[in-house]
Amino acid sequence: MYIGGLMGCKGDAYTGAGALNIEEAHDFHHWQAQLFKLAKADFLYAGIMPVLAEAMGMARAMSDTGIPYIISFTIQKDGKLIDGHTIDYAIRFIDDNVSRKPVCYMTNCVHPAILRSALSQPENRTEAVRARFCGIQANAACLSLQELDNSCALKTSDAKELAEEFRLLHRDFPLKIYGGCCGTDDSHIREMIKVLQ
C-alpha cells in the first residue's frame, strides 16, 4: 500500500477561474508539499489541474520535496487543458522546467471517451505524450466539464458501458493507471478490471 498526498488548484478546477501564476503557485503550494514530506507520504498527486501556469508552479513545489509526484490535468475533448495548451505542450513545458520531473502525467474527472478523443488529436500524437501520459481516473458520465459543473444530481453511467469505453481507450492508448472518479462505484471498478484483464 502506498500513501499519496493529494493536492489541488487554488481556483476552479473546471473553469480555471482564480488560477495562480507560476511564482504564486510555487509559494502557495510549497507549504502543503512540505507538510506531506514531513508526514512521509510515498508520493504526491496534483489532481484536476486546469491551467498550465499553476500546474508548473505546483510541480516545482512538489519537485522541491524529492518525493515522487504525478500531475493530473483537467482535459477537454479537443486535447487541451482549460487554458488552451495541448497535453503535449504542457508535458514538455513542465518536464523542461523542473529539477525533478513527475513520474508521469494523467487526467481525472473525465470520461474515457473524452480522453480517447483528446489523445487522438494530431498535436497530441507525439513521443512525449506516448511516453509520459500514463493514466486516467475516470468520470462515469460522458459529459463535458461545462455540463457537469454545478450539477444538482449525480451523473453516472452503466458499469458495463463505462468498462467498454475503458477497453477502447486501452486498445488505442495502453495506459498504466486506471481508476474511478466522480459517479463511479465498486460496480464500475469491477467491470473495468474484467475488461482490462
Side-chain angles (χ1 to χ4, degrees):
M1 181 180 292
Y2 295 93
I3 306 297
L6 175 61
M7 299 172 65
C9 62
K10 183 177 186 293
D12 190 314
Y14 276 12
T15 67
L20 303 174
N21 67 35
I22 295 173
E23 292 75 21
E24 291 170 338
H26 179 267
D27 293 344
F28 181 81
H29 295 293
H30 187 265
W31 68 272
Q32 186 180 16
Q34 291 300 319
L35 286 176
F36 280 130
K37 180 179 181 178
L38 289 173
K40 302 191 184 313
D42 295 307
F43 70 97
L44 302 177
Y45 181 84
I48 349 179
M49 299 301 294
V51 174
L52 178 55
E54 186 164 1
M56 178 70 246
M58 185 183 283
R60 285 184 176 167
M62 292 175 153
S63 176
D64 291 345
T65 68
I67 300 170
Y69 66 100
I70 296 171
I71 302 290
S72 184
F73 297 122
T74 308
I75 292 175
Q76 303 176 101
K77 192 173 186 177
D78 64 0
K80 297 176 181 175
L81 281 61
I82 298 300
D83 64 4
H85 289 101
T86 65
I87 300 167
D88 172 70
Y89 180 82
I91 289 172
R92 290 185 293 106
F93 184 79
I94 292 175
D95 275 359
D96 290 345
N97 289 283
V98 290
S99 56
R100 294 180 182 88
K101 295 179 184 179
V103 173
C104 67
Y105 297 86
M106 55 185 290
T107 189
N108 60 308
C109 214
V110 65
H111 192 271
I114 292 174
L115 178 60
R116 191 156 56 95
S117 173
L119 294 176
S120 296
Q121 300 303 314
E123 59 269 27
N124 290 324
R125 287 190 164 274
T126 65
E127 182 55 35
V129 174
R130 277 191 296 276
R132 303 286 287 131
F133 192 91
C134 297
I136 179 175
Q137 284 184 277
N139 194 315
C142 192
L143 299 171
S144 70
L145 299 169
Q146 294 76 22
E147 292 170 306
L148 290 169
D149 203 13
N150 295 315
S151 174
C152 296
L154 177 66
K155 304 296 184 185
T156 189
S157 63
D158 176 77
K160 290 186 187 301
E161 289 174 7
L162 183 65
E164 174 60 13
E165 292 296 343
F166 271 116
R167 186 190 70 76
L168 294 172
L169 175 64
H170 185 72
R171 178 198 67 191
D172 295 344
F173 305 98
L175 306 176
K176 297 177 182 176
I177 301 170
Y178 294 89
C181 197
C182 303
T184 60
D185 60 23
D186 59 317
S187 66
H188 294 91
I189 302 302
R190 279 197 296 268
E191 291 298 326
M192 175 189 73
I193 291 168
K194 285 180 189 176
V195 300
L196 294 178
Q197 283 179 332

